[in-house]
Protein backbone atom coordinates (compact mmCIF):
# COMPACT_ATOMS: atom_id res chain seq x y z
CA UNK A 1 0.00 0.00 0.00
CA UNK A 2 1.36 3.38 -0.98
CA UNK A 3 1.24 6.41 1.27
CA UNK A 4 0.11 9.76 -0.02
CA UNK A 5 2.57 12.64 0.02
CA UNK A 6 0.70 14.25 2.92
CA UNK A 7 0.88 11.11 5.06
CA UNK A 8 4.56 10.69 4.23
CA UNK A 9 5.21 14.25 5.38
CA UNK A 10 3.35 13.70 8.67
CA UNK A 11 5.15 10.40 9.31
CA UNK A 12 8.56 11.95 8.70
CA UNK A 13 7.67 14.83 11.01
CA UNK A 14 6.58 12.45 13.80
CA UNK A 15 9.75 10.35 13.47
CA UNK A 16 11.86 13.48 13.63
CA UNK A 17 9.96 14.70 16.69
CA UNK A 18 10.45 11.39 18.52
CA UNK A 19 14.14 11.21 17.67
CA UNK A 20 14.72 14.79 18.78
CA UNK A 21 12.79 14.40 22.03
CA UNK A 22 14.62 11.22 23.07
CA UNK A 23 17.73 12.88 24.53
CA UNK A 24 15.59 15.44 26.32
CA UNK A 25 13.61 12.80 28.17
CA UNK A 26 16.68 10.75 29.09
CA UNK A 27 18.52 12.01 32.14
CA UNK A 28 22.29 12.30 31.93
CA UNK A 29 24.16 10.71 34.80
CA UNK A 30 26.84 13.01 36.18
CA UNK A 31 30.03 11.77 37.84
CA UNK A 32 31.64 13.62 40.74
CA UNK A 33 34.76 13.26 42.80
CA UNK A 34 34.70 14.99 46.17
CA UNK A 35 36.51 18.07 44.85
CA UNK A 36 34.26 18.18 41.79
CA UNK A 37 31.17 17.93 44.01
CA UNK A 38 32.41 20.83 46.16
CA UNK A 39 33.25 22.91 43.09
CA UNK A 40 29.82 22.24 41.62
CA UNK A 41 28.13 23.11 44.92
CA UNK A 42 29.86 26.47 45.39
CA UNK A 43 28.68 27.41 41.90
CA UNK A 44 25.09 26.21 42.22
CA UNK A 45 24.11 26.17 45.90
CA UNK A 46 21.30 28.66 46.59
CA UNK A 47 22.91 30.01 49.77
CA UNK A 48 26.12 30.78 47.89
CA UNK A 49 24.16 32.47 45.12
CA UNK A 50 22.36 34.62 47.68
CA UNK A 51 25.69 35.56 49.28
CA UNK A 52 26.90 36.55 45.82
CA UNK A 53 23.83 38.73 45.37
CA UNK A 54 24.61 40.40 48.71
CA UNK A 55 28.11 41.12 47.41
CA UNK A 56 26.68 42.64 44.23
CA UNK A 57 24.31 44.72 46.35
CA UNK A 58 27.23 45.98 48.44
CA UNK A 59 29.07 46.87 45.23
CA UNK A 60 26.07 48.96 44.17
CA UNK A 61 26.10 50.63 47.58
CA UNK A 62 29.77 51.52 47.05
CA UNK A 63 29.05 53.04 43.65
CA UNK A 64 26.21 55.00 45.24
CA UNK A 65 28.66 56.46 47.74
CA UNK A 66 31.12 57.38 45.00
CA UNK A 67 28.32 59.17 43.15
CA UNK A 68 28.26 61.83 45.87
CA UNK A 69 31.46 63.33 44.41
CA UNK A 70 29.95 63.64 40.94
CA UNK A 71 27.97 66.72 39.85
CA UNK A 72 24.40 66.67 41.14
CA UNK A 73 22.10 68.07 38.46
CA UNK A 74 18.41 68.80 38.87
CA UNK A 75 15.72 70.61 36.92
CA UNK A 76 12.64 72.11 38.58
CA UNK A 77 9.64 73.94 37.23
CA UNK A 78 6.52 75.48 38.72
CA UNK A 79 3.23 76.97 37.58
CA UNK A 80 1.26 79.07 40.07
CA UNK A 81 -2.26 80.43 40.05
CA UNK A 82 -2.33 83.24 42.61
CA UNK A 83 -6.01 83.13 43.59
CA UNK A 84 -5.69 86.02 46.00
CA UNK A 85 -2.68 88.23 45.51
CA UNK A 86 -1.22 89.51 48.73
CA UNK A 87 -1.04 93.29 49.19
CA UNK A 88 1.82 95.23 50.62
CA UNK A 89 1.28 98.36 52.68
CA UNK A 90 3.32 101.41 51.67
CA UNK A 91 3.43 104.98 52.97
CA UNK A 92 0.98 107.32 51.28
CA UNK A 93 3.90 109.48 50.17
CA UNK A 94 5.04 106.56 47.96
CA UNK A 95 2.19 107.29 45.53
CA UNK A 96 1.68 111.01 46.36
CA UNK A 97 4.75 112.89 47.63
CA UNK A 98 2.51 115.80 48.69
CA UNK A 99 0.34 113.71 50.99
CA UNK A 100 0.28 114.79 54.67
CA UNK A 101 2.45 112.79 57.08
CA UNK A 102 -0.57 111.40 58.92
CA UNK A 103 -2.16 110.00 55.76
CA UNK A 104 -2.90 106.25 56.18
CA UNK A 105 -0.67 103.84 54.19
CA UNK A 106 -1.90 102.55 50.89
CA UNK A 107 -2.32 98.84 50.04
CA UNK A 108 -0.49 97.93 46.86
CA UNK A 109 -0.95 94.62 45.04
CA UNK A 110 2.40 93.10 44.03
CA UNK A 111 2.21 90.21 41.60
CA UNK A 112 0.12 88.82 38.78
CA UNK A 113 -2.57 86.15 38.56
CA UNK A 114 -0.35 83.52 36.90
CA UNK A 115 3.39 82.93 37.22
CA UNK A 116 5.74 80.21 36.03
CA UNK A 117 9.43 79.34 36.26
CA UNK A 118 11.90 76.71 35.08
CA UNK A 119 15.33 76.35 36.72
CA UNK A 120 18.32 74.02 36.32
CA UNK A 121 20.73 73.57 39.24
CA UNK A 122 24.18 72.00 39.47
CA UNK A 123 25.92 71.22 42.79
CA UNK A 124 29.49 69.98 43.02
CA UNK A 125 31.31 68.73 46.11
CA UNK A 126 34.74 70.39 46.34
CA UNK A 127 36.05 69.26 49.70
CA UNK A 128 34.74 66.92 52.38
CA UNK A 129 37.26 65.11 54.58
CA UNK A 130 34.74 62.50 55.72
CA UNK A 131 33.93 61.65 52.09
CA UNK A 132 37.55 60.80 51.32
CA UNK A 133 37.56 58.54 54.35
CA UNK A 134 34.33 57.00 53.12
CA UNK A 135 36.06 55.93 49.92
CA UNK A 136 38.61 54.01 51.98
CA UNK A 137 35.79 52.41 53.94
CA UNK A 138 34.12 51.44 50.66
CA UNK A 139 37.13 49.35 49.63
CA UNK A 140 37.15 47.63 53.01
CA UNK A 141 33.42 47.05 52.74
CA UNK A 142 33.96 45.42 49.35
CA UNK A 143 36.55 43.06 50.84
CA UNK A 144 34.18 42.20 53.67
CA UNK A 145 31.40 41.35 51.22
CA UNK A 146 33.74 39.08 49.24
CA UNK A 147 34.86 37.35 52.45
CA UNK A 148 31.24 36.73 53.38
CA UNK A 149 30.79 34.97 50.03
CA UNK A 150 33.82 32.79 50.73
CA UNK A 151 32.52 32.00 54.22
CA UNK A 152 29.28 30.80 52.63
CA UNK A 153 31.28 28.62 50.22
CA UNK A 154 33.25 27.08 53.10
CA UNK A 155 30.01 26.21 54.88
CA UNK A 156 28.67 24.58 51.72
CA UNK A 157 31.96 22.71 51.20
CA UNK A 158 31.71 21.33 54.74
CA UNK A 159 28.12 20.17 54.21
CA UNK A 160 28.92 18.58 50.83
CA UNK A 161 32.03 16.79 52.14
CA UNK A 162 30.14 15.27 55.07
CA UNK A 163 27.23 14.23 52.86
CA UNK A 164 29.63 12.78 50.27
CA UNK A 165 31.43 10.66 52.88
CA UNK A 166 28.07 9.57 54.27
CA UNK A 167 27.12 8.12 50.89
CA UNK A 168 30.46 6.31 50.55
CA UNK A 169 30.17 4.72 54.02
CA UNK A 170 26.61 3.54 53.44
CA UNK A 171 27.44 2.11 50.03
CA UNK A 172 30.41 0.22 51.48
CA UNK A 173 28.18 -1.13 54.23
CA UNK A 174 25.75 -2.49 51.63
CA UNK A 175 28.58 -4.32 49.85
CA UNK A 176 29.62 -6.06 53.07
CA UNK A 177 26.01 -6.89 53.90
CA UNK A 178 25.67 -8.54 50.51
CA UNK A 179 28.71 -10.69 51.31
CA UNK A 180 27.25 -11.54 54.72
CA UNK A 181 23.91 -12.49 53.22
CA UNK A 182 25.56 -14.67 50.58
CA UNK A 183 27.70 -16.44 53.17
CA UNK A 184 24.92 -17.06 55.71
CA UNK A 185 22.47 -17.97 52.96
CA UNK A 186 24.90 -20.61 51.68
CA UNK A 187 25.25 -21.98 55.20
CA UNK A 188 21.45 -21.98 55.53
CA UNK A 189 20.94 -24.04 52.36
CA UNK A 190 23.71 -26.47 53.34
CA UNK A 191 22.17 -26.94 56.77
CA UNK A 192 18.77 -27.40 55.16
CA UNK A 193 20.22 -30.16 52.99
CA UNK A 194 21.82 -31.79 56.04
CA UNK A 195 18.48 -31.66 57.82
CA UNK A 196 16.82 -33.54 54.99
CA UNK A 197 19.52 -36.19 55.30
CA UNK A 198 19.07 -36.38 59.06
CA UNK A 199 22.45 -34.84 59.96
CA UNK A 200 21.09 -31.50 61.29
CA UNK A 201 18.16 -30.53 63.42
CA UNK A 202 15.22 -28.45 62.21
CA UNK A 203 15.92 -25.82 64.85
CA UNK A 204 19.37 -25.23 63.32
CA UNK A 205 17.71 -24.48 59.99
CA UNK A 206 15.24 -22.11 61.64
CA UNK A 207 17.98 -20.22 63.45
CA UNK A 208 19.88 -19.67 60.22
CA UNK A 209 16.71 -18.61 58.41
CA UNK A 210 16.12 -15.99 61.09
CA UNK A 211 19.71 -14.81 60.63
CA UNK A 212 19.26 -14.49 56.85
CA UNK A 213 15.98 -12.60 57.26
CA UNK A 214 17.56 -10.19 59.72
CA UNK A 215 20.43 -9.50 57.37
CA UNK A 216 18.08 -8.87 54.45
CA UNK A 217 16.00 -6.50 56.58
CA UNK A 218 19.14 -4.67 57.66
CA UNK A 219 20.27 -4.43 54.04
CA UNK A 220 16.94 -2.87 53.05
CA UNK A 221 17.30 -0.30 55.82
CA UNK A 222 20.83 0.58 54.70
CA UNK A 223 19.66 0.75 51.08
CA UNK A 224 17.01 3.29 52.10
CA UNK A 225 19.68 5.18 54.02
CA UNK A 226 21.89 5.27 50.91
CA UNK A 227 19.02 6.75 48.93
CA UNK A 228 18.42 9.35 51.63
CA UNK A 229 22.16 10.14 51.71
CA UNK A 230 22.12 10.78 47.98
CA UNK A 231 19.12 13.10 48.39
CA UNK A 232 20.98 15.06 51.06
CA UNK A 233 24.13 15.28 48.93
CA UNK A 234 22.21 16.50 45.87
CA UNK A 235 20.38 19.05 48.00
CA UNK A 236 23.67 20.41 49.37
CA UNK A 237 25.14 20.55 45.86
CA UNK A 238 22.19 22.48 44.46
CA UNK A 239 21.00 19.61 42.25
CA UNK A 240 17.44 18.48 41.71
CA UNK A 241 16.23 15.57 43.81
CA UNK A 242 15.71 13.43 40.68
CA UNK A 243 19.09 14.15 39.09
CA UNK A 244 21.30 11.09 38.59
CA UNK A 245 24.83 11.27 39.97
CA UNK A 246 27.67 8.81 40.47
CA UNK A 247 30.47 9.21 43.00
CA UNK A 248 33.88 8.32 41.60
CA UNK A 249 35.74 8.03 44.90
CA UNK A 250 35.80 4.98 47.15
CA UNK A 251 36.44 4.46 50.84
CA UNK A 252 39.46 2.34 49.93
CA UNK A 253 41.06 5.38 48.25
CA UNK A 254 41.47 7.16 51.59
CA UNK A 255 44.99 6.81 52.98
CA UNK A 256 44.60 6.94 56.77
CA UNK A 257 48.28 7.55 57.44
CA UNK A 258 48.36 10.36 54.86
CA UNK A 259 45.32 11.99 56.49
CA UNK A 260 47.06 11.97 59.86
CA UNK A 261 50.33 13.36 58.45
CA UNK A 262 48.54 16.07 56.46
CA UNK A 263 46.55 17.19 59.50
CA UNK A 264 49.63 17.39 61.71
CA UNK A 265 51.51 19.36 59.06
CA UNK A 266 48.57 21.74 58.55
CA UNK A 267 48.33 22.35 62.30
CA UNK A 268 52.07 23.07 62.50
CA UNK A 269 52.02 25.53 59.57
CA UNK A 270 48.73 27.19 60.49
CA UNK A 271 48.27 30.92 59.96
CA UNK A 272 45.28 32.74 61.42
CA UNK A 273 44.57 34.42 58.10
CA UNK A 274 43.74 30.99 56.67
CA UNK A 275 40.53 31.08 58.70
CA UNK A 276 37.88 33.16 56.98
CA UNK A 277 36.35 34.07 60.35
CA UNK A 278 39.58 35.75 61.45
CA UNK A 279 40.04 37.50 58.11
CA UNK A 280 36.46 38.75 58.22
CA UNK A 281 36.91 40.06 61.76
CA UNK A 282 40.05 41.95 60.69
CA UNK A 283 38.01 43.71 58.00
CA UNK A 284 35.40 44.57 60.61
CA UNK A 285 38.14 46.03 62.83
CA UNK A 286 39.35 48.14 59.91
CA UNK A 287 35.80 49.43 59.36
CA UNK A 288 35.42 50.21 63.07
CA UNK A 289 38.71 52.15 62.99
CA UNK A 290 37.51 54.12 59.96
CA UNK A 291 34.30 54.90 61.84
CA UNK A 292 36.36 56.44 64.65
CA UNK A 293 38.33 58.51 62.17
CA UNK A 294 35.17 59.63 60.39
CA UNK A 295 33.93 61.41 63.51
CA UNK A 296 37.13 63.47 63.69
CA UNK A 297 36.79 64.33 59.99
CA UNK A 298 33.39 65.85 60.65
CA UNK A 299 35.16 68.77 62.38
CA UNK A 300 36.68 69.77 59.05
CA UNK A 301 34.91 72.39 56.87
CA UNK A 302 32.83 71.27 53.91
CA UNK A 303 33.04 73.15 50.62
CA UNK A 304 30.60 72.88 47.73
CA UNK A 305 29.98 74.87 44.57
CA UNK A 306 26.63 75.55 42.97
CA UNK A 307 25.22 77.12 39.84
CA UNK A 308 21.71 77.56 38.49
CA UNK A 309 20.12 78.99 35.41
CA UNK A 310 16.43 79.53 34.81
CA UNK A 311 13.54 81.40 33.26
CA UNK A 312 10.37 82.90 34.70
CA UNK A 313 7.36 84.84 33.58
CA UNK A 314 4.04 86.14 34.90
CA UNK A 315 0.74 87.34 33.41
CA UNK A 316 -2.77 88.12 34.53
CA UNK A 317 -4.23 85.82 31.84
CA UNK A 318 -3.34 82.18 31.61
CA UNK A 319 -3.41 82.24 27.79
CA UNK A 320 -0.66 84.87 27.78
CA UNK A 321 1.88 82.69 29.64
CA UNK A 322 2.98 80.71 26.58
CA UNK A 323 3.30 83.51 24.08
CA UNK A 324 4.71 86.12 26.41
CA UNK A 325 8.46 86.67 26.87
CA UNK A 326 10.31 84.62 29.52
CA UNK A 327 13.13 86.28 31.43
CA UNK A 328 16.29 84.43 32.26
CA UNK A 329 18.34 84.52 35.44
CA UNK A 330 21.51 82.80 36.67
CA UNK A 331 23.64 82.52 39.78
CA UNK A 332 26.84 80.76 40.79
CA UNK A 333 28.42 80.51 44.20
CA UNK A 334 30.28 78.54 46.84
CA UNK A 335 28.96 77.18 50.11
CA UNK A 336 31.35 76.81 53.00
CA UNK A 337 30.18 75.04 56.13
CA UNK A 338 32.41 75.15 59.22
CA UNK A 339 31.19 73.27 62.31
CA UNK A 340 31.78 75.30 65.47
CA UNK A 341 29.87 73.72 68.36
CA UNK A 342 27.43 70.83 68.35
CA UNK A 343 26.80 70.35 72.05
CA UNK A 344 29.58 67.72 72.32
CA UNK A 345 27.61 65.31 70.10
CA UNK A 346 30.62 64.31 68.01
CA UNK A 347 32.70 63.84 71.14
CA UNK A 348 30.35 61.22 72.52
CA UNK A 349 29.81 59.67 69.11
CA UNK A 350 33.58 59.21 68.90
CA UNK A 351 33.57 57.55 72.32
CA UNK A 352 30.93 55.06 71.17
CA UNK A 353 32.93 54.28 68.03
CA UNK A 354 36.11 53.73 70.06
CA UNK A 355 34.28 51.33 72.38
CA UNK A 356 33.05 49.41 69.33
CA UNK A 357 36.61 49.26 68.00
CA UNK A 358 37.93 47.98 71.33
CA UNK A 359 35.25 45.28 71.40
CA UNK A 360 36.22 44.17 67.89
CA UNK A 361 39.89 44.03 68.92
CA UNK A 362 38.97 42.01 72.02
CA UNK A 363 36.93 39.67 69.84
CA UNK A 364 39.97 39.22 67.62
CA UNK A 365 42.03 37.96 70.55
CA UNK A 366 39.13 35.79 71.70
CA UNK A 367 38.82 34.31 68.20
CA UNK A 368 42.54 33.51 68.15
CA UNK A 369 42.19 31.61 71.42
CA UNK A 370 39.10 29.85 70.10
CA UNK A 371 40.88 28.84 66.90
CA UNK A 372 43.85 27.51 68.87
CA UNK A 373 41.45 25.43 70.94
CA UNK A 374 39.61 24.16 67.84
CA UNK A 375 42.85 23.09 66.18
CA UNK A 376 44.06 21.31 69.30
CA UNK A 377 40.68 19.62 69.80
CA UNK A 378 40.38 18.59 66.15
CA UNK A 379 43.92 17.15 66.15
CA UNK A 380 43.30 15.10 69.28
CA UNK A 381 39.82 14.03 68.15
CA UNK A 382 41.11 13.01 64.73
CA UNK A 383 43.90 10.98 66.33
CA UNK A 384 41.45 9.28 68.69
CA UNK A 385 38.97 8.50 65.93
CA UNK A 386 41.76 7.13 63.74
CA UNK A 387 42.96 4.89 66.57
CA UNK A 388 39.40 3.71 67.18
CA UNK A 389 38.93 3.04 63.47
CA UNK A 390 42.06 0.91 63.32
CA UNK A 391 40.97 -0.99 66.42
CA UNK A 392 37.52 -1.65 64.94
CA UNK A 393 39.10 -2.76 61.66
CA UNK A 394 41.22 -5.23 63.62
CA UNK A 395 38.11 -6.44 65.45
CA UNK A 396 36.35 -7.01 62.12
CA UNK A 397 39.25 -9.11 60.86
CA UNK A 398 39.29 -11.14 64.09
CA UNK A 399 35.51 -11.61 64.09
CA UNK A 400 35.64 -12.68 60.45
CA UNK A 401 38.28 -15.29 61.23
CA UNK A 402 36.28 -16.57 64.21
CA UNK A 403 33.17 -16.86 62.04
CA UNK A 404 35.14 -18.73 59.36
CA UNK A 405 36.65 -21.24 61.80
CA UNK A 406 33.35 -21.75 63.61
CA UNK A 407 31.60 -22.48 60.33
CA UNK A 408 34.25 -25.06 59.38
CA UNK A 409 33.99 -26.75 62.79
CA UNK A 410 30.20 -26.91 62.46
CA UNK A 411 30.38 -28.40 58.97
CA UNK A 412 32.85 -31.01 60.23
CA UNK A 413 30.54 -31.91 63.09
CA UNK A 414 32.74 -30.70 65.95
CA UNK A 415 30.88 -27.44 66.55
CA UNK A 416 27.33 -26.34 67.25
CA UNK A 417 24.87 -24.19 65.36
CA UNK A 418 24.68 -21.83 68.33
CA UNK A 419 28.40 -21.15 68.07
CA UNK A 420 28.00 -20.31 64.39
CA UNK A 421 25.18 -17.87 65.06
CA UNK A 422 27.07 -16.24 67.92
CA UNK A 423 30.12 -15.85 65.71
CA UNK A 424 28.01 -14.35 62.90
CA UNK A 425 26.35 -11.93 65.31
CA UNK A 426 29.74 -10.89 66.68
CA UNK A 427 31.03 -10.42 63.15
CA UNK A 428 28.06 -8.27 62.18
CA UNK A 429 28.37 -6.23 65.39
CA UNK A 430 32.05 -5.67 64.65
CA UNK A 431 31.15 -4.49 61.17
CA UNK A 432 28.54 -2.05 62.54
CA UNK A 433 31.07 -0.69 65.02
CA UNK A 434 33.59 -0.34 62.22
CA UNK A 435 31.25 1.62 59.98
CA UNK A 436 30.20 3.85 62.87
CA UNK A 437 33.85 4.62 63.64
CA UNK A 438 34.60 5.08 59.91
CA UNK A 439 31.78 7.60 59.54
CA UNK A 440 32.89 9.40 62.71
CA UNK A 441 36.49 9.50 61.44
CA UNK A 442 35.49 11.03 58.10
CA UNK A 443 33.31 13.64 59.79
CA UNK A 444 36.18 14.44 62.15
CA UNK A 445 38.51 14.75 59.16
CA UNK A 446 36.23 17.40 57.64
CA UNK A 447 36.12 19.28 60.96
CA UNK A 448 39.93 19.16 61.21
CA UNK A 449 40.33 20.47 57.66
CA UNK A 450 37.95 23.30 58.47
CA UNK A 451 39.76 24.13 61.71
CA UNK A 452 43.08 24.34 59.84
CA UNK A 453 41.58 26.49 57.09
CA UNK A 454 42.20 23.77 54.46
CA UNK A 455 38.66 22.64 53.73
CA UNK A 456 38.08 25.07 50.86
CA UNK A 457 40.80 27.33 49.53
CA UNK A 458 39.07 28.59 46.37
CA UNK A 459 37.83 32.11 45.81
Amino acid sequence: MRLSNTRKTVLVWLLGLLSSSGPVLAQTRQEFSLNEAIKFAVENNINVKNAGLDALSSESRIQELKGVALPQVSVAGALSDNLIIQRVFLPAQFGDPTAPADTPPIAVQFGVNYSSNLTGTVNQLLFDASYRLGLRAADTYRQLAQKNVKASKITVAEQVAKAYYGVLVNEQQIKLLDLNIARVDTLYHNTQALNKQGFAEKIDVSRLEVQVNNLKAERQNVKNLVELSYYLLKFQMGLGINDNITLTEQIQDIDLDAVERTNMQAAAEFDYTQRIEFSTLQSQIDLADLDVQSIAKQYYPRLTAFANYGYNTGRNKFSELIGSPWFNSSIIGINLSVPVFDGFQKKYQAQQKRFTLQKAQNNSQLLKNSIDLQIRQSTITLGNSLQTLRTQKRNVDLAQEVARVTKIKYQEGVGSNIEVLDAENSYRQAQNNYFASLYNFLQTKVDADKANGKLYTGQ
Side-chain angles (χ1 to χ4, degrees):
M1 184 178 70
R2 294 185 177 181
L3 295 175
S4 65
N5 292 334
T6 303
R7 290 183 178 180
K8 287 182 179 179
T9 303
V10 173
L11 182 59
V12 170
W13 178 78
L14 287 174
L15 290 174
L17 179 62
L18 290 175
S19 62
S20 64
S21 62
V24 176
L25 296 176
Q27 288 187 338
T28 303
R29 181 175 293 273
Q30 305 177 71
E31 297 184 349
F32 293 97
S33 65
L34 176 58
N35 289 335
E36 290 170 345
I38 291 176
K39 181 180 178 181
F40 183 91
V42 298
E43 294 174 353
N44 295 276
N45 185 275
I46 299 299
N47 292 329
V48 176
K49 289 182 177 180
N50 287 339
L53 292 176
D54 290 339
L56 293 177
S57 177
S58 66
E59 187 65 30
S60 299
R61 178 67 183 90
I62 293 171
Q63 298 303 322
E64 177 187 356
L65 175 63
K66 291 183 177 180
V68 175
L70 298 178
Q72 310 296 306
V73 182
S74 63
V75 177
L79 173 64
S80 302
D81 181 357
N82 302 311
L83 298 177
I84 300 176
I85 301 175
Q86 186 176 2
R87 286 170 171 74
V88 178
F89 294 94
L90 299 175
Q93 291 79 8
F94 184 82
D96 183 6
T98 62
D102 56 351
T103 303
I106 57 176
V108 180
Q109 179 177 293
F110 277 89
V112 293
N113 293 334
Y114 300 97
S115 61
S116 182
N117 65 79
L118 180 65
T119 305
T121 303
V122 178
N123 289 283
Q124 175 62 55
L125 178 66
L126 299 179
F127 175 80
D128 188 341
S130 61
Y131 173 76
R132 295 180 178 273
L133 195 64
L135 293 180
R136 292 173 53 191
D139 291 334
T140 306
Y141 188 61
R142 177 186 290 109
Q143 297 174 11
L144 182 61
Q146 294 171 350
K147 291 175 181 178
N148 288 335
V149 174
K150 186 173 182 180
S152 178
K153 291 181 178 180
I154 291 175
T155 300
V156 170
E158 176 188 10
Q159 296 169 343
V160 169
K162 290 185 175 181
Y164 193 99
Y165 286 137
V167 173
L168 295 184
V169 171
N170 291 328
E171 285 187 331
Q172 184 67 18
Q173 190 172 2
I174 277 193
K175 293 178 181 178
L176 286 182
L177 279 172
D178 287 338
L179 294 176
N180 291 344
I181 292 173
R183 186 183 64 257
V184 178
D185 191 59
T186 299
L187 180 60
Y188 165 69
H189 285 95
N190 291 340
T191 305
Q192 196 175 40
L194 291 174
N195 173 255
K196 292 180 180 180
Q197 298 174 5
F199 295 105
E201 296 182 6
K202 178 64 176 177
I203 192 172
D204 294 339
V205 177
S206 299
R207 289 193 185 106
L208 288 171
E209 184 178 2
V210 170
Q211 187 81 348
V212 172
N213 292 338
N214 288 339
L215 286 172
K216 289 181 178 179
E218 184 177 354
R219 186 193 186 283
Q220 184 60 43
N221 291 336
V222 176
K223 180 182 178 182
N224 294 336
L225 188 58
V226 168
E227 186 176 1
L228 182 60
S229 301
Y230 267 107
Y231 288 156
L232 176 60
L233 175 59
K234 288 186 284 188
F235 172 77
Q236 301 293 3
M237 292 175 60
L239 287 167
I241 211 72
N242 296 320
D243 290 337
N244 293 322
I245 63 174
T246 300
L247 308 188
T248 59
E249 296 190 15
Q250 300 292 331
I251 289 294
Q252 295 82 355
D253 299 334
I254 301 175
D255 188 342
L256 301 182
D257 294 330
V259 170
E260 187 175 25
R261 288 195 305 270
T262 302
N263 179 71
M264 294 179 63
Q265 181 179 0
E269 300 174 353
F270 176 77
D271 182 9
Y272 291 109
T273 58
Q274 295 174 348
R275 286 287 296 268
I276 190 63
E277 301 94 326
F278 184 82
S279 180
T280 299
L281 184 56
Q282 291 304 115
S283 296
Q284 293 174 347
I285 291 176
D286 292 340
L287 284 176
D289 183 51
L290 291 173
D291 280 345
V292 173
Q293 297 181 43
S294 67
I295 300 299
K297 297 297 184 181
Q298 293 180 18
Y299 286 101
Y300 285 69
R302 189 173 189 271
L303 184 64
T304 61
F306 67 91
N308 63 47
Y309 186 85
Y311 289 89
N312 69 336
T313 187
R315 290 294 183 271
N316 284 321
K317 292 183 178 181
F318 183 80
S319 59
E320 296 177 352
L321 284 178
I322 299 177
S324 62
W326 286 59
F327 303 96
N328 62 343
S329 63
S330 180
I331 185 174
I332 60 173
I334 293 178
N335 284 327
L336 177 63
S337 175
V338 181
V340 178
F341 180 72
D342 62 355
F344 303 109
Q345 294 183 45
K346 294 184 182 65
K347 172 184 176 181
Y348 295 111
Q349 288 177 3
Q351 286 184 358
Q352 297 175 53
K353 299 294 184 181
R354 281 193 291 269
F355 293 149
T356 301
L357 175 60
Q358 291 176 9
K359 287 175 58 178
Q361 292 170 340
N362 292 340
N363 289 336
S364 177
Q365 183 59 47
L366 179 62
L367 181 58
K368 282 185 177 181
N369 296 337
S370 177
I371 290 175
D372 291 339
L373 178 60
Q374 290 175 15
I375 293 176
R376 185 64 58 86
Q377 285 179 331
S378 64
T379 301
I380 294 175
T381 303
L382 183 64
N384 290 342
S385 62
L386 182 57
Q387 181 179 356
T388 301
L389 178 61
R390 287 170 172 161
T391 300
Q392 295 301 333
K393 182 63 173 65
R394 175 62 177 165
N395 289 340
V396 169
D397 295 338
L398 292 174
Q400 183 181 17
E401 179 64 16
V402 171
R404 186 186 68 82
V405 173
T406 304
K407 178 182 176 182
I408 294 175
K409 291 174 60 179
Y410 175 70
Q411 291 175 339
E412 294 179 351
V414 294
S416 67
N417 178 266
I418 297 296
E419 291 177 341
V420 173
L421 293 178
D422 288 343
E424 287 293 336
N425 287 331
S426 298
Y427 182 35
R428 187 174 61 176
Q429 184 61 46
Q431 288 178 340
N432 290 336
N433 292 339
Y434 168 73
F435 284 114
S437 61
L438 177 60
Y439 180 77
N440 181 66
F441 166 75
L442 293 174
Q443 302 298 301
T444 304
K445 173 184 176 299
V446 175
D447 293 336
D449 289 340
K450 182 180 180 182
N452 292 317
K454 300 295 185 180
L455 180 60
Y456 177 78
T457 57
Q459 299 299 321

